[in-house]
């Protein structure tokens, strides 16, 4: 019986992280200035050493197996710790910072991202922020395209969302619970109201975020998604939805947290309904968060707290 090779090198872990990020052995080789055959051999040797298949190879590139996804989380932790040791004892500069976040369309997510980037002490970084559909957020985190996802759940969609997360090896971590508000233009007649009712909205266009092929009520970003509306417009991005609020006096339902710096023409008005919106972050259950992800969540909590909303851990 052949003896399994022992020992995993730090270089192999670094190679594997780049291959996973690029989705291609040849692309990772080019990025690291390594010959493609050398990179391929390093990946096969790594799989031999751990005794598991980590990559699925095809003509279009590579994807991670379930073992590969779990292994990537630990590889990132080891490489990050090694870099901290080098910075502390060898005086080397901080490494390139990496983080991917996928989220539903919330301005506070962007606000926190801006703060994180400004506070970064790295000379080099590569961050990504994807405002996208609910299903795609879950897929991004499941496949490690993003380390974190930000989305909402409530009593209506909770069972469906939680099952999908469990089946994907993910977990939902509450950040805060918000009372529903409508977002409208400052010129909308409802903008000066202390509260709005569903009856007030009957003659206004309802604006919602399109969920594509997975356009189920359970994946909607807005509560009360099953209520019919005489005028409804689906959009794919926040810039468009805000322009339609201004141009058509439309509205959307959200958390009420809005950034005056990022969205100066939009106001939030409390909506008089017996509903709550729970916002949380999702991540892989088997993989601890990197320091950079923890820093982003810290900024996110700060933004929410400054808006006067109680955090989940503070309210517990």
């Amino acid at each position: 019986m052949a003896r399994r090779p022992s020992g995993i090198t730090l270089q192999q872990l670094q190679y594997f992280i780049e291959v996973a990020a690029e989705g291609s052995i040849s692309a990772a080789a080019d990025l690291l200035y390594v010959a493609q055959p050398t990179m391929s051999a390093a990946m096969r040797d790594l799989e031999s050493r751990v005794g598991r298949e980590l990559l699925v190879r095809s003509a279009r590139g590579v994807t991670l197996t379930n073992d590969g996804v779990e292994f990537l989380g630990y590889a990132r932790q080891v490489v990050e710790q090694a870099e901290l040791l080098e910075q502390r004892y060898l005086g080397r500069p901080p490494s390139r910072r990496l983080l991917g976040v996928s989220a539903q369309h919330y301005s506070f997510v962007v606000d926190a991202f801006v703060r994180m980037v400004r506070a970064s002490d790295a000379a080099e970084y590569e961050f990504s922020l994807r405002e996208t559909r609910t299903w795609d957020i879950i897929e991004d985190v499941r496949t490690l395209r993003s380390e974190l996802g930000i989305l909402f759940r409530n009593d209506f969609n909770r069972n469906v969302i939680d099952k999908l997360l469990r089946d994907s090896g993910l977990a939902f971590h509450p950040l805060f619970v918000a009372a529903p508000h409508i977002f409208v233009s400052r010129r909308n007649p409802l903008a000066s109201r202390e509260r709005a009712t569903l009856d007030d909205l009957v003659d206004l266009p309802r604006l919602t975020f399109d969920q594509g092929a997975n356009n189920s009520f359970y994946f909607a970003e807005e509560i009360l998604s099953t209520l019919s509306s005489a005028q409804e417009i689906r959009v794919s991005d926040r810039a468009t939805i805000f322009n339609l609020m201004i141009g058509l006096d439309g509205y959307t339902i959200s958390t009420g947290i809005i950034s005056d710096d990022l969205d100066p023409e939009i106001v939030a008005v409390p909506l008089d309904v017996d509903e709550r919106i729970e916002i949380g972050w999702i991540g892989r259950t088997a993989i601890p968060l990197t320091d950079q992800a923890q820093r982003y969540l810290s900024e996110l909590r700060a933004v929410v707290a400054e808006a006067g909303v109680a955090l989940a851990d503070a309210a517990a």
Side-chain angles (χ1 to χ4, degrees):
M1 183 176 178
R3 185 178 179 182
R4 181 186 299 174
S6 61
I8 299 172
T9 68
L10 186 61
Q11 183 181 68
Q12 284 177 320
L13 296 181
Q14 293 168 331
Y15 284 179
F16 181 75
I17 290 170
E18 291 299 335
V19 168
E22 296 299 317
S24 165
I25 289 177
S26 60
D30 291 342
L31 187 66
L32 297 175
Y33 302 102
V34 176
Q36 192 271 339
T38 300
M39 181 68 77
S40 294
M43 292 301 94
R44 294 197 180 279
D45 182 58
L46 176 62
E47 289 176 310
S48 176
R49 289 172 185 270
V50 301
R52 301 180 185 183
E53 185 181 37
L54 304 176
L55 301 169
V56 177
R57 296 160 176 83
S58 71
R60 293 183 297 176
V62 297
T63 56
L64 297 178
T65 64
N66 289 336
D67 285 330
V69 169
E70 183 176 2
F71 185 84
L72 178 60
Y74 289 109
R76 284 173 168 166
Q77 295 296 313
V78 171
V79 170
E80 188 174 75
Q81 292 301 312
E83 290 172 346
L84 290 174
L85 282 172
E86 291 179 349
Q87 293 167 30
R88 176 68 177 83
Y89 295 103
L90 301 181
R92 295 186 180 178
S95 63
R96 185 181 182 87
R97 294 287 186 263
L98 301 172
L99 178 66
V101 177
S102 293
Q104 291 174 332
H105 301 77
Y106 301 121
S107 61
F108 59 84
V109 168
V110 180
D111 200 353
F113 197 86
V114 169
R115 294 189 186 192
M116 180 200 69
V117 174
R118 286 177 175 171
S120 175
D121 59 353
E124 299 182 7
Y125 55 76
E126 183 178 332
F127 300 138
S128 67
L129 174 60
R130 275 172 41 87
E131 285 191 334
T132 188
R133 299 162 176 166
T134 304
W135 179 274
D136 292 335
I137 293 169
I138 295 172
E139 276 296 288
D140 282 353
V141 181
R142 184 186 71 81
T143 60
L144 293 175
R145 178 177 186 178
S146 292
E147 187 174 353
L148 294 174
I150 310 295
L151 48 76
F152 105 93
R153 69 180 185 184
N154 65 351
D155 291 339
F156 175 73
N157 70 3
R158 183 184 306 273
N159 290 339
V160 172
I161 294 296
D162 286 354
K163 183 180 185 304
L164 182 56
L165 293 178
R166 286 195 304 271
D167 293 346
S168 302
L170 309 177
F172 183 95
H173 305 269
L175 285 167
F176 64 93
V177 176
H181 288 64
I182 58 167
F183 285 171
V184 293
S185 162
R186 290 186 181 278
R187 291 175 288 182
N188 190 297
L190 297 178
S192 60
R193 297 276 292 274
E194 290 187 2
R195 302 188 70 81
T197 68
L198 292 177
D199 288 341
D200 295 328
L201 307 177
V202 169
D203 295 327
L204 299 181
R206 181 170 69 182
L207 311 175
T208 62
F209 287 105
D210 180 66
Q211 297 299 317
N214 298 288
N215 202 26
S216 161
F217 291 133
Y218 297 109
F219 294 128
E221 293 188 34
E222 306 82 17
I223 63 169
L224 306 174
S225 58
T226 60
L227 292 182
S228 61
S229 175
Q231 304 172 23
E232 182 156 354
I233 302 174
R234 293 191 181 95
V235 303
S236 59
D237 62 86
R238 277 193 308 119
T240 299
I241 210 168
F242 287 161
N243 285 336
L244 292 177
M245 287 178 198
I246 296 170
L248 296 177
D249 276 340
Y251 74 92
T252 193
I253 304 175
S254 192
T255 63
I257 303 177
I258 195 163
S259 170
D260 289 336
D261 293 333
L262 298 176
D263 313 307
E265 298 302 316
I266 306 301
V267 297
V269 180
L271 181 61
D272 193 11
V273 292
D274 188 20
E275 294 274 352
R276 289 294 180 268
I277 301 172
E278 182 181 35
I279 303 292
W281 64 271
I282 63 172
R284 292 201 61 92
T285 55
I287 301 176
L289 294 179
T290 62
D291 287 347
Q292 192 64 48
Q294 294 281 13
R295 280 191 284 271
Y296 173 71
L297 287 177
S298 178
E299 295 290 357
L300 188 58
R301 292 186 180 99
V303 169
V304 172
E306 288 170 15
V309 176
L311 296 168
D313 53 354

